Each structure stands twice: as structure tokens, then as C-alpha cells.
Amino acid sequence: MKKIVIFGNSGAGKSTLAIQLSKSEGLAHFDLDTVAWQPVSPPIRRPIDESRKEIDKFLNDNESWVIEGCYSDLLEIVLPVSSEVIFLNLPVQMCISNAKNRPWEPHKYVSKEAQDENLDMLIKWIAEYTNRDDTFSKASHEALYNFYKGKKTMYTKNERRATAV
């Protein structure tokens, strides 16, 4: 049974890789964005206990899976039951470029136009990755990666097979 956790900055390619693995390995896919936020504007985080209930339901319903997100506080829930982690530790400018070119994510937005309305905010968010000290920060992701004792891989470029460290 594969139980893979993918994390990194927004725009690093977490969803793209998770979808690829889901299809090629027959894994259930779970995007933590779907349980991290209340459906209001501007966005407000849901209480961790509410998110945990939905995460636990997913874990109970699926034997093999890939879970992706940038929320260290939610990732800590799934790391103890995972078999592998992948840290997409791409340079900030690469993440910004990826965000500008991202396809429509229909599970998050009603249209590509609605998604693009948030692009400026997202780019500012991505740019702060190395300076933040919160659950979304590079420092928190590095701590998760360093703490994890199982199989782990870090990628530093989009060409994942060639750049594992």
C-alpha cells in the first residue's frame, strides 16, 4: 500500500504530481486545500479539528493514497500513517512562473476566470515563502522533511526524476 504525502510552496507542482501519481499508481487523491478553508471571502482557515474529521474520513475510506498540501499543521496529521513523503522545494521564482501558467482547478474554483482573479494575491503569497514562519513556510516544510524517518525525496526543479536530492 502506498501512502504518499506531497508538500511544498504554492505553485511547486503538488497537485500536478499528485494527480499523475493518482492515475499511474491507482491511488486515491486528496488535496488539503479542500478541507483547510471556510467557504468565505476573504478566505479564513477552518479549525484544525474540523479539517481533521474530513482527513480521518479520507484515511479510513482509502487504503492507498496521495495527499498534497502546504499546511504543515494538517500534514502532521497524515505523516505518521504515510509510507513516503515528497518535498517539492522549488525556487520561489519557479513557483511563481508555475502559478501564472497553472491550469484551471475545478475542485477549487467555479471557473478559470475566478481562479485567475486570485492570481495577484497568490503570487504575493508565494513570494513570501522563505520569509514566513507559519505553517505554510519553507522553514516548517524543511522541519517536516527533516523529522520524517521514512522514505523521502526532495525535488528542487520541475524535472523531478533528474533532480532528487
Side-chain angles (χ1 to χ4, degrees):
M1 290 181 289
K2 289 191 176 185
K3 298 178 178 187
I4 303 169
V5 175
I6 302 171
F7 57 91
N9 195 4
S10 294
K14 299 178 302 293
S15 296
T16 300
L17 179 57
I19 290 166
Q20 289 171 351
L21 289 171
S22 175
K23 290 178 181 176
S24 67
E25 304 287 330
L27 307 173
H29 173 221
F30 194 71
D31 181 344
L32 292 175
D33 282 343
T34 63
V35 298
W37 300 99
Q38 295 180 26
V40 296
S41 187
I44 299 171
R45 281 291 302 270
R46 290 172 71 180
I48 298 292
D49 287 343
E50 283 183 25
S51 298
R52 178 187 294 272
K53 287 178 187 173
E54 293 190 46
I55 292 167
D56 287 344
K57 180 179 180 345
F58 177 83
L59 295 174
N60 288 330
D61 290 348
N62 298 281
E63 286 188 9
S64 295
W65 44 257
V66 57
I67 295 175
E68 46 109 350
C70 62
Y71 315 89
S72 293
D73 51 2
L74 298 180
L75 293 165
E76 289 173 353
I77 296 169
V78 298
L79 285 182
V81 296
S82 68
S83 60
E84 177 180 357
V85 300
I86 300 172
F87 178 16
L88 300 182
N89 190 11
L90 277 62
V92 167
Q93 287 304 318
M94 192 175 289
C95 293
I96 290 172
S97 177
N98 290 345
K100 289 178 179 177
N101 296 310
R102 77 174 32 178
W104 174 40
E105 298 174 297
H107 64 288
K108 297 180 190 176
Y109 299 96
V110 296
S111 68
K112 175 74 165 114
E113 293 76 22
Q115 178 175 299
D116 289 345
E117 285 176 17
N118 292 320
L119 187 57
D120 289 339
M121 177 185 69
L122 179 61
I123 290 170
K124 289 176 187 169
W125 174 260
I126 292 168
E128 298 170 352
Y129 182 61
T130 58
N131 300 322
R132 288 194 307 263
D133 61 0
D134 56 17
T135 189
F136 313 102
S137 69
K138 182 175 182 173
S140 70
H141 293 158
E142 287 174 336
L144 285 177
Y145 184 80
N146 291 333
F147 177 77
Y148 190 76
K149 301 300 180 209
K151 180 180 178 186
K152 58 185 174 182
T153 308
M154 180 189 302
Y155 295 106
T156 57
K157 295 182 183 176
N158 281 334
E159 299 80 25
R160 293 188 177 85
R161 287 193 249 320
T163 58
V165 293

